[in-house]
Amino acid sequence: MPELPEVETTVRGLVPVLEGRRLVSVEARRADLRYAFPPDLRQRLTGARVTGLDRRAKYGLIGTDRGDTMIFHLGMSGKWRIDPAEIGTHDHLLLETEEGRRLALNDPRRFGSVDLVPSDALAGFPAFAKMGPEPLGDDFSAAYLAEALEGRSAPIKALLLDQRIVAGLGNIYVCEALHMARIAPRRAGGRISRPRLAALVEAIRIVLMAAIGAGGSSLRDYARPDGELGYFSSQWRVYGREGEACHCGAPIRRRTASGRSTFYCATCQR
Ligand code: ZN
């Protein structure tokens, strides 16, 4: 599923097409994705000029001069198609700019979502209200993490997936960052030293930035907005590599709990 780097890549791909552009057509081709499109989406967005694009956790934000921000989530399989040659079954929302550029929000499994909220009320959007800091932002630091994890006996992996502690991290990048920081996924969050937390913060930034740089993808058929393919699992250190050798020579292991796999090296990670 698209994770933070894919969403960041998507937003960056949309900027040249949308930023500063006026939307002349907004068409929802069905009533819902995971839940209903805002019923007044067309009225509120048609004629609006896009003032800026941004990302919060795994949500893309499209701000307009009408005082509304469209919030999109790509769910399990969503992507934006730019200037598609033809509109397909899974193109559920169509936008057109005054320059004639067309965008289609394509989502075969329909776990994505679209919301429209007043831009000055973004912080109160339910998904954002209790969300922790952005992992690539200045507020996410070893000091912050030490405070957030203090006294916590839950495994560090579960704590990093908790959106209230840090926003937007998913399974793949947590596995990758813990391996880079040499921390065992099952280690109690409250029992990790400050220097190791500093290494973890650094590792999280490195794996996310590398994935963004590579065009980020966790879906084999995921395509960047401009149609180029993202990168594949061969670049991952541990994710999806059960039984292969870690750089230390030990085999990479996989443990599955509640339908989610953890990949790790029992030799490197303590
Ligand atoms: Zn190893």
Side-chain angles (χ1 to χ4, degrees):
M1 85 174 59
E3 291 211 27
L4 186 154
E6 287 79 14
V7 180
E8 178 69 25
T9 303
T10 295
V11 167
R12 291 182 187 187
L14 291 174
V15 165
V17 183
L18 280 181
E19 194 165 64
R21 312 299 180 179
R22 191 175 297 281
L23 299 173
V24 294
S25 171
V26 177
E27 182 194 352
R29 299 180 70 234
R30 52 176 295 121
D32 58 7
L33 292 177
R34 189 159 62 80
Y35 49 83
F37 284 113
D40 52 357
L41 187 71
R42 178 204 287 254
Q43 295 90 312
R44 281 162 73 184
L45 287 184
T46 305
R49 190 177 292 280
V50 174
T51 50
L53 291 96
D54 206 347
R55 177 191 56 75
R56 175 78 170 115
K58 291 187 236 181
Y59 292 83
L61 310 177
I62 301 175
T64 73
D65 64 357
R66 294 267 181 87
D68 289 320
T69 293
M70 183 180 133
I71 303 174
F72 68 84
H73 193 285
L74 297 173
M76 304 285 286
S77 58
K79 60 173 177 269
W80 283 96
R81 301 172 68 213
I82 295 181
D83 297 328
E86 50 189 47
I87 302 305
T89 314
H90 304 298
D91 293 324
H92 302 306
L93 177 66
L94 307 178
L95 306 179
E96 187 174 340
T97 70
E98 60 190 336
E99 290 78 15
R101 303 297 299 272
R102 292 200 302 168
L103 289 167
L105 179 57
N106 181 283
D107 189 356
R109 297 180 64 184
R110 302 202 307 267
F111 281 101
S113 62
V114 171
D115 288 276
L116 197 56
V117 302
S119 304
D120 58 9
L122 270 185
F125 181 63
F128 298 165
K130 290 183 177 172
M131 207 173 249
E134 286 289 321
L136 296 174
D138 293 339
D139 294 340
F140 184 63
S141 64
Y144 164 78
L145 206 49
E147 193 179 324
L149 301 182
E150 191 178 357
R152 302 293 297 267
S153 56
I156 183 62
K157 188 189 174 211
L159 292 166
L160 291 176
L161 290 172
D162 182 341
Q163 304 295 297
R164 293 168 296 187
I165 293 177
V166 54
L169 287 187
N171 194 37
I172 295 172
Y173 297 101
V174 167
C175 288
E176 294 292 287
L178 286 171
H179 183 261
M180 183 179 280
R182 304 169 67 95
I183 296 171
R186 277 211 275 207
R187 174 168 283 274
R191 299 191 59 190
I192 301 173
S193 69
R194 183 68 74 95
R196 300 190 78 202
L197 289 179
L200 179 57
V201 166
E202 184 68 9
I204 288 168
R205 292 211 171 100
I206 290 170
V207 298
L208 291 176
M209 292 303 293
I212 291 167
S217 181
S218 52
L219 247 193
R220 265 201 95 76
D221 64 353
Y222 177 87
R224 285 198 343 207
D226 58 9
E228 284 182 47
L229 288 177
Y231 88 126
F232 299 137
S233 59
S234 57
Q235 294 188 15
W236 289 323
R237 304 163 64 96
V238 286
Y239 191 85
R241 297 185 57 191
E242 181 186 14
E244 292 180 40
C246 173
H247 58 71
C248 75
I252 292 164
R253 299 188 187 186
R254 172 162 83 161
R255 190 189 307 128
T256 304
S258 50
R260 191 177 254 155
S261 289
T262 298
F263 295 88
Y264 65 104
C265 172
T267 303
C268 290
Q269 296 175 252
R270 297 298 171 127

